[in-house]
Structure formats: structure tokens, C-alpha cells
Amino acid sequence: MDVKETCMGFYNKACRFTESGDFEEAAVNIRHALEEILKEFIRRHAPEHIYDDSFKQIEALKQTGLFTESKINIFHNLRILGNRGGHVDSSNNITKQEWVLDGATVIYGSASELRATLDYDFAEEKQFSYKNLTMD
């Protein structure tokens, strides 16, 4: 199975989990898709930066210049969304306590809008062609 098929599998699982109300599992599957994407881009464009840490991988890809700042931000948002510390609150919002904010809880997204958010992000990504990019 190639990376695209693997990622679509995770995305489709995330959509099914979202529709069934299991938002934590949806977020984890989105994180898995992101990890596959990061591994592939690191392998192709920055093999000297193979890390187990998604944050470091995203920052390494940022340095390649392949991605706009808004795409890097999307990667970080998806990474945060899927963090194991993420959970669904009583209002079905995806939240996480952030140590950088002295433990304050941040809402990363309304669970009811997760599908629309992901559809938008993937549609934006489809419009950009990586085919002819070089490391220069």
C-alpha cells in the first residue's frame, strides 16, 4: 500500500469515527495520517532529519521551503489535534491542557466541525502541486 492509500485509509476511519461520535479516535487517526505524510516528505526531501518527533519533522520540512507557512501551521494543528493527551470534553470539543499555558485547556476544534475542517484542509492541499519542486 502506498502513502496516499494509507493516508486515505486513516482519513476514512477518522470520518467514520467522527460520524459515530468517537472524536478522540478520529483525532488519533488524523494524527496517524499526518505521521505517514511527514515520513514520506522527510524521506524524499530531508532524509538527514528523520526523527520520531512530529514537531521536529514539521520544523525540518519548514526549513526545506517546500511548504507555505499556512501549510506548516496546518501540519502543527493536525499534530496537536492527534496528541495522545487530547480528549473530548463534555461539549464534544477536542481539547488539550497545554503546559505552555500553565495547564490551561485549549479548544482545538469543535467536534461538530471536524469533518468540514478536514475536508477544507485536504481540498486546499490538493490544489498545490509538489511534482516539480526541487530542494533549491
Side-chain angles (χ1 to χ4, degrees):
M1 191 178 313
D2 69 2
V3 174
K4 182 177 179 179
E5 289 174 14
T6 301
C7 290
M8 286 308 297
F10 285 126
Y11 173 75
N12 290 331
K13 281 184 188 177
C15 291
R16 285 193 303 275
F17 282 125
T18 299
E19 289 167 2
S20 70
D22 193 344
F23 303 113
E24 189 172 35
E25 285 298 321
V28 169
N29 275 278
I30 291 302
R31 172 69 182 252
H32 289 319
L34 174 65
E35 289 168 348
E36 292 298 317
I37 292 166
L38 293 175
K39 278 194 269 186
E40 183 65 14
F41 276 106
I42 288 290
R43 184 184 67 75
R44 288 184 184 186
H45 302 288
E48 68 279 12
H49 295 291
I50 296 176
Y51 304 109
D52 288 332
D53 183 313
S54 295
F55 178 85
K56 289 179 182 178
Q57 287 180 326
I58 294 167
E59 289 301 303
L61 287 173
K62 181 179 180 179
Q63 299 306 314
T64 67
L66 289 173
F67 300 99
T68 64
E69 188 67 30
S70 66
K71 289 194 185 338
I72 293 295
N73 289 337
I74 289 169
F75 285 161
H76 277 303
N77 286 335
L78 292 173
R79 175 188 60 82
I80 291 166
L81 178 72
N83 280 344
R84 296 193 190 282
H87 61 277
V88 179
D89 68 12
S90 60
S91 300
N92 286 331
N93 292 318
I94 299 168
T95 66
K96 183 174 186 256
Q97 290 182 330
E98 289 289 358
W99 64 270
V100 296
L101 298 175
D102 294 323
T105 299
V106 176
I107 296 176
Y108 286 106
S110 169
S112 64
E113 296 176 5
L114 180 60
R115 175 86 184 239
T117 300
L118 294 173
D119 287 344
Y120 172 81
D121 287 343
F122 283 111
E124 287 291 305
E125 193 64 30
K126 284 180 184 177
Q127 293 178 20
F128 186 82
S129 173
Y130 297 91
K131 188 175 184 177
N132 297 318
L133 292 178
T134 67
M135 291 299 289
D136 300 331

